[in-house]
Amino acid sequence: MKKILILGAGTAGTMMANHLQHELDKKLWEIEIIDEKVEHHYQPGYLFLPFDIYTPEDIIKTIEEFIPKGVSLRKGKIDKIDPMANQVKMVDGTSIAYDVLIIATGAKIAPEETAGMRGSEWQKSVFDFYTFEGALALRNKLREWDGGNMVVHITEMPIKCPVAPLEFAFLADSFFKNKKMREKVKITFVTPLSGAFTKPKATEALDHLLQEKNINIESDFAIESVDNERKMIIDYGGREIPFDLLVTVPTNKGDELMERSNMGDDLNYVPTNKATLQSLNYNNVFVIGDASNVPASKAGSVAHFEAEILTENILRFIKNEPLKEDFDGHANCFIETGGGKALLIDFNYTHEPVEGTFPFPGVGPLRLLKESRMNHMGKLAFRWIYWNMLLKGTHIPFVSAQMQEAGKQY
Amino acid sequence: MEKEIAGKKINVNEEGYLIDFNQWDQSIGEAIAKENNVDMTPRHWEVVKYLQGEHKNNVPLSIRKIGKSNVIDIKEFYALFPQGPLKISTKIAGIPKPASCL
Ligand SMILES: Cc1cc2nc3c(=O)[nH]c(=O)nc-3n(C[C@H](O)[C@H](O)[C@H](O)COP(=O)(O)OP(=O)(O)OC[C@H]3O[C@@H](n4cnc5c(N)ncnc54)[C@H](O)[C@@H]3O)c2cc1C
């Protein structure tokens, strides 16, 4: 009996467990998946929690209910990987041998990377919304906050779901309007990038929306520290931005287990072939989702497209066939813009997001890079799709793993 | 598109970054620096040479990596090339603007 071991039962690991359970011959292969947690969180919901749009119950289920029969789920913290010995060591001392390893341990925030960020004001006037605890604390704060300077801030790239901070700023604008207190709040969006986003056409559209919603933007800001006493963020050039309420996205990093295993880069991401998803250093190790260093968005939709291609490549690998170089960096993200509308962007390694229609060229019904109510319905539907299709590895009709160029205005 | 820099016709992209590093020489770097209000000193050139070396070895550039490079810390990098040091220094160095990946 041979063994496929999956590290991490979040979005990507769960999808792989479901795909492989369907595809592998159970007389020859056993599949095991490991996670230290009991709960599976719908992380995109962290964006809505602070504004009382979703409740905690909307976004939390158990890991177990998404792991198919026939795949064994082990609970526990992974200490390290010994790729030369094809073994994984658990913190409790157990060793697990594998024939094929899939790394899906994701990424998380590391506020300790910035001086003063996790200081005396943490969860008093300095918040994150990239963790459940952070989003919940921020919700409680926003329920009673009476206004002032709100600064929405990105520490450094790459981060998970790079549009989420912008969406947060847009939703904050709507939230304060609904509470009839918009004029009491100054919203400033602070980014290390030169504009609202990384790709030119989308940046143009988003910069315009920021303006329309009266949100100031401070770009090219590389934070050095948070001054808790004076309530300022300060960049390496000495630029200071005052806040009454700082909503920051701290540095994102892969899990420390990569550092302990000597398998990560300077942010603990695993060097990975961007077309095949095989580790660059070990043939029988594959990487999917936020844990890899491929230059694609760290998003659930990306993990979904990767999972279809990685499943095929693992089947090829165990049959000794050459891997398919099929992953093109395809990402597909809804961007909430507030007021019950959203944008949709679709892009890959080489093609930036542009205007057009999706998924049917020329028909839609969704429109790319344009605000619409239909797109907002799409974003809300995404939660249902996530729990009921994405995690189970069900193919989403009409949306292919590789990006489609038809119907787009390049 | 073509742009005249230091008296030579140079191929640059929409944002003014050189398309072909072979067209680069020190006088080009000097002229781009001037356009961006940077007065080049020997220390500036040291950093520019380092960036060109990293680019040649296909090392992706980021502020974080440069801070850990032992060549220069982030504070000094900002002092030398104020406001977006990575953007400006790579333009002067004649190498592509680092993709702040998604
Ligand atoms: C605020 C926010 C909004 C987002 N919005 C969107 C969106 O709108 N659309 C979209 O597509 N994506 C969105 N995302 C991104 C999406 O949630 C992630 O890209 C996706 O969950 C990544 O899946 P993953 O499996 O790689 O990592 P995860 O789902 O994070 O799973 C990693 C798992 O590994 C486990 N693990 C890690 N280390 C260890 C260890 N040492 N021992 C044991 N277990 C370990 C963890 O417990 C975790 O369960 C958003 C993310 C955030 C934070």
Side-chain angles (χ1 to χ4, degrees):
Chain A
M1 204 65 162
K2 290 193 168 183
K3 181 172 218 158
I4 291 199
L5 186 59
I6 305 173
L7 305 185
T11 312
T14 302
M15 290 189 300
M16 287 312 295
N18 281 294
H19 277 297
L20 292 171
Q21 162 69 15
H22 284 294
E23 301 292 337
L24 286 175
D25 180 350
K26 287 302 144 30
K27 288 193 282 301
L28 301 174
W29 286 91
E30 67 171 298
I31 309 169
E32 180 169 324
I33 185 165
I34 311 178
D35 206 294
E36 61 183 317
K37 294 193 188 132
V38 177
E39 290 173 352
H40 187 128
H41 286 195
Y42 174 63
Q43 295 177 43
Y46 295 167
L47 171 69
F48 296 102
L49 190 58
F51 303 108
D52 269 318
I53 300 173
Y54 284 167
T55 62
E57 298 72 60
D58 289 332
I59 60 179
I60 300 177
K61 294 189 189 272
T62 63
I63 284 183
E64 208 171 341
E65 64 193 285
F66 297 98
I67 304 301
K69 278 203 193 72
V71 172
S72 52
L73 169 64
R74 182 193 294 257
K75 292 201 178 121
K77 193 173 174 69
I78 303 150
D79 180 27
K80 58 181 158 198
I81 304 166
D82 181 351
M84 303 303 278
N86 295 324
Q87 272 193 358
V88 166
K89 292 204 172 60
M90 303 296 290
V91 167
D92 68 12
T94 329
S95 290
I96 307 159
Y98 62 79
D99 294 284
V100 175
L101 185 71
I102 299 174
I103 297 176
T105 42
K108 57 186 174 192
I109 61 162
E112 64 280 2
E113 291 278 329
T114 306
M117 190 172 277
R118 223 188 161 126
S120 55
E121 287 297 313
W122 183 251
Q123 295 197 349
K124 292 198 184 110
S125 62
V126 178
F127 291 84
D128 82 282
F129 67 98
Y130 267 48
T131 57
F132 178 71
E133 299 72 31
L136 198 66
L138 183 53
R139 179 196 72 178
N140 296 340
K141 175 80 180 185
L142 284 177
R143 281 180 177 175
E144 53 171 51
W145 194 53
D146 53 14
N149 264 333
M150 173 187 257
V151 172
V152 182
H153 166 250
I154 301 174
T155 300
E156 65 180 306
M157 302 301 279
I159 57 171
K160 301 199 243 197
C161 194
V163 293
L166 263 176
E167 298 181 274
F168 188 93
F170 292 145
L171 286 174
D173 168 69
S174 275
F175 177 79
F176 295 123
K177 272 184 191 144
N178 288 337
K179 282 183 93 172
K180 308 258 179 297
M181 57 178 285
R182 181 63 180 90
E183 71 292 345
K184 290 192 196 152
V185 182
K186 181 180 170 201
I187 306 178
T188 307
F189 184 74
V190 183
T191 168
L193 303 172
S194 303
F197 198 54
T198 48
K199 314 264 169 164
K201 290 227 174 67
T203 296
E204 225 173 90
L206 292 165
D207 276 337
H208 181 76
L209 279 175
L210 285 170
Q211 232 171 20
E212 203 179 281
K213 295 174 195 298
N214 206 5
I215 299 168
N216 310 303
I217 174 163
E218 295 271 359
S219 52
D220 293 310
F221 188 92
I223 190 167
E224 182 177 17
S225 62
V226 178
D227 184 333
N228 287 271
E229 256 114 76
R230 292 166 58 233
K231 293 207 179 168
M232 296 270 188
I233 50 174
I234 304 164
D235 94 340
Y236 283 101
R239 189 149 50 123
E240 297 189 333
I241 297 174
F243 64 83
D244 297 306
L245 181 56
L246 174 65
V247 178
T248 184
V249 179
T251 301
N252 283 200
K253 288 176 90 170
D255 196 84
E256 296 91 23
L257 100 92
M258 298 313 155
E259 201 174 321
R260 296 192 290 268
S261 314
N262 239 325
M263 287 177 76
D265 65 11
D266 55 346
L267 287 168
N268 295 339
Y269 296 123
V270 184
T272 305
N273 181 308
K274 69 176 194 174
T276 64
L277 304 177
Q278 187 178 42
S279 144
L280 288 182
N281 299 311
Y282 308 98
N283 280 340
N284 60 340
V285 176
F286 295 83
V287 194
I288 181 167
D290 297 349
S292 90
N293 79 335
V294 305
S297 265
K298 296 196 181 297
S301 66
V302 175
H304 164 77
F305 298 132
E306 287 177 337
E308 295 191 359
I309 287 159
L310 181 56
T311 302
E312 162 120 33
N313 270 346
I314 286 186
L315 296 177
R316 286 168 171 254
F317 178 78
I318 61 188
K319 283 188 280 192
N320 263 322
E321 289 170 9
L323 303 183
K324 265 192 164 169
E325 299 187 351
D326 263 4
F327 186 60
D328 65 354
H330 188 187
N332 179 281
C333 305
F334 291 102
I335 307 178
E336 272 299 294
T337 52
K341 292 186 181 173
L343 295 176
L344 177 63
I345 55 176
D346 195 57
F347 57 102
N348 67 10
Y349 288 140
T350 49
H351 289 71
E352 62 162 322
V354 291
E355 289 181 14
T357 46
F358 187 87
F360 302 108
V363 176
L366 301 176
R367 296 187 65 191
L368 296 169
L369 210 51
K370 280 260 196 286
E371 260 190 308
S372 79
R373 293 198 182 272
M374 191 70 156
N375 289 337
H376 169 69
M377 300 314 287
K379 176 100 184 182
L380 295 185
F382 189 64
R383 182 166 60 105
W384 189 91
I385 292 177
Y386 183 87
W387 293 125
N388 295 288
M389 296 179 78
L390 236 51
L391 289 181
K392 294 177 181 152
T394 310
H395 181 77
I396 297 181
F398 317 119
V399 181
S400 56
Q402 285 182 321
M403 198 196 71
Q404 172 176 283
E405 284 174 39
K408 294 187 179 156
Q409 296 156 25
Y410 288 110
Chain B
M1 61 192 178
E2 245 182 22
K3 184 176 168 187
E4 194 171 306
I5 306 177
K8 293 172 205 116
K9 291 223 183 311
I10 304 294
N11 288 320
V12 297
N13 70 10
E14 290 156 1
E15 294 182 298
Y17 289 79
L18 261 62
I19 287 166
D20 178 7
F21 180 68
N22 291 321
Q23 292 188 319
W24 188 89
D25 63 35
Q26 193 145 334
S27 69
I28 307 268
E30 192 80 56
I32 297 175
K34 198 160 265 155
E35 247 180 72
N36 287 278
N37 303 316
V38 175
D39 275 330
M40 296 299 282
T41 65
R43 182 64 178 145
H44 285 89
W45 287 118
E46 232 172 280
V47 175
V48 164
K49 292 272 147 66
Y50 158 74
L51 295 175
Q52 291 171 336
E54 293 290 280
H55 174 67
K56 207 166 142 203
N57 296 327
N58 286 318
V59 182
L61 292 168
S62 70
I63 297 250
R64 166 179 285 273
K65 282 222 178 92
I66 288 164
K68 288 186 174 168
S69 66
N70 293 326
V71 174
I72 184 165
D73 64 28
I74 302 179
K75 199 98 196 159
E76 190 191 354
F77 195 34
Y78 264 81
L80 292 179
F81 305 95
Q83 278 146 33
L86 198 54
K87 263 190 334 189
I88 296 172
S89 59
T90 48
K91 197 184 259 189
I92 296 170
I95 60 181
K97 178 173 163 185
S100 38
C101 62
L102 274 190

